[in-house]
Amino acid sequence: MEVHRSLDAARAACASRRASGTLGLVPTMGALHEGHLTLVRRAREENDAVAVTVFVNPLQFGPHEDYERYPRDEAGDAALLEGAGADLVLFLPADEMYPPGHVTRLDQGALCTELEGAARPGHFAGVLTVVCKLFNICTPTRAYFGHKDFQQTVVVRRMVEDLDMPVEVVVCPTRRDPDGLAMSSRNAYLSPAERAEGLALVTALGEAQRLFAAGERSRAALEAAMQRILLDRLRRPADYAAVVSPDDFSRPELAHPGDVAVVAAPVGPTRLLDNHALGAKLGPFSPGP
Ligand code: PAF
């Protein structure tokens, strides 16, 4: 496995792999967990070579968010990536990614201001800008993202289509711990009690799925059921608990298979988010220790 730490070296290493075959890219912010490794293994299966970028992107954090304390563990990440079969690990330096004078931002208007975008103004402009840069630096054949960040997958796909980017976006299912909690680098912030509280999110999604499977189609009823569970378990209202269309986050009066139940709520020192495409199987999960 090659490790590179400059943009020039990253560009050259990716170009050399691309010259002789397909390249799968897994963009990450590090603090890797099994969810990321699943993306790497899928990229391994589908491409001749696999590159993983590790870059905590300052552009996608708000002024009072956790950019400074976001977990960083380069040695641990490199060891996990070696085991998962990555060929290139690219630790990208912030001063090269955003040199003085860098002002260009990608944005998609309403798609970037709904849901997570409402809670985190500017977040998706930061995500789109860095993902576009990573695609330009690495020129991947395919790029891999987790469904856990559902809104991110939608805006990235939109960008690729709108800007005719020659890359295939592959979205992989959310990985969950045995108790159902969606894997996330930010779970590291949670105490055991907060972790148990965080299960409210998957419980709410499970209830929406149960009602949907039993024939409930009213979006308002599905949302109310999720909100009730979140309020009950977390003792404060969620940031959102909604059923949205997977294309543009509009909220249909009647839910259809494939519409996505999305939830986000503050839990302890962090915000957790999760989602589930209605009609698909969710669980059962085993209770934690
Ligand atoms: O999902 C993430 O980890 C980040 O948003 C990404 C795609 C690596 C861009 O910084």
Side-chain angles (χ1 to χ4, degrees):
M1 184 177 82
E2 296 170 35
V3 177
H4 298 287
R5 294 177 182 279
S6 75
L7 255 57
D8 280 348
R11 242 187 234 108
C14 290
S16 142
R17 301 292 176 141
R18 271 298 254 144
S20 59
T22 55
L23 177 66
L25 173 68
V26 182
T28 82
M29 297 207 300
L32 303 180
H33 50 68
E34 194 51 37
H36 297 109
L37 301 182
T38 304
L39 304 182
V40 175
R41 291 189 201 106
R42 171 90 179 262
R44 175 77 284 156
E45 278 165 29
E46 297 180 350
N47 299 276
D48 298 316
V50 177
V52 180
T53 55
V54 178
F55 177 59
V56 184
N57 173 34
L59 275 196
Q60 68 189 75
F61 289 79
H64 305 296
E65 294 185 7
D66 55 345
Y67 174 67
E68 293 299 341
R69 70 186 178 103
Y70 193 84
R72 290 164 170 86
D73 177 12
E74 289 196 359
D77 289 346
L80 289 174
L81 290 172
E82 177 111 59
D87 298 295
L88 306 176
V89 181
L90 313 172
F91 292 107
L92 302 175
D95 57 345
E96 290 190 24
M97 287 293 278
Y98 300 120
H102 183 281
V103 290
T104 303
R105 301 286 179 271
L106 287 178
D107 191 15
Q108 295 171 345
L111 280 188
C112 291
T113 55
E114 297 287 320
L115 305 172
E116 279 306 285
R120 306 182 66 188
H123 171 69
F124 287 113
V127 169
L128 290 172
T129 302
V130 80
V131 171
C132 175
K133 284 174 68 74
L134 296 174
F135 287 177
N136 286 337
I137 293 162
C138 302
T139 63
T141 318
R142 301 183 184 85
Y144 294 79
F145 297 86
H147 198 264
K148 154 83 169 39
D149 294 307
F150 156 70
Q151 191 172 2
Q152 172 169 280
T153 67
V154 173
V155 298
V156 167
R157 277 206 158 120
R158 184 80 263 151
M159 171 182 76
V160 163
E161 196 173 322
D162 288 355
L163 300 183
D164 306 299
M165 292 177 160
V167 54
E168 181 189 336
V169 174
V170 181
V171 176
C172 302
T174 302
R175 286 298 308 263
R176 297 180 181 280
D177 286 325
D179 59 6
L181 192 70
M183 291 185 185
S184 160
S185 303
R186 289 190 170 98
N187 291 353
Y189 297 145
L190 299 173
S191 70
E194 290 159 351
R195 222 197 113 80
E197 272 194 9
L199 292 176
L201 276 77
V202 70
T203 305
L205 295 174
E207 179 62 3
Q209 170 55 30
R210 191 189 67 75
L211 292 170
F212 185 82
E216 180 61 81
R217 290 293 179 269
S218 155
R219 172 185 56 78
L222 295 168
E223 291 181 350
M226 292 194 289
Q227 280 153 6
R228 259 195 313 276
I229 288 175
L230 290 167
L231 185 60
D232 191 44
R233 303 268 183 108
L234 301 176
R235 298 172 301 282
R236 57 179 175 267
D239 286 354
Y240 54 80
V243 173
V244 301
S245 148
D247 305 320
D248 57 5
F249 316 131
S250 59
R251 292 165 78 192
E253 203 151 305
L254 295 180
H256 302 93
D259 285 343
V260 182
V262 288
V263 289
V267 177
T270 192
R271 273 180 85 245
L272 297 182
L273 52 152
D274 202 347
N275 70 82
H276 175 68
L278 292 173
K281 186 171 149 40
L282 180 65
F285 304 110
S286 47

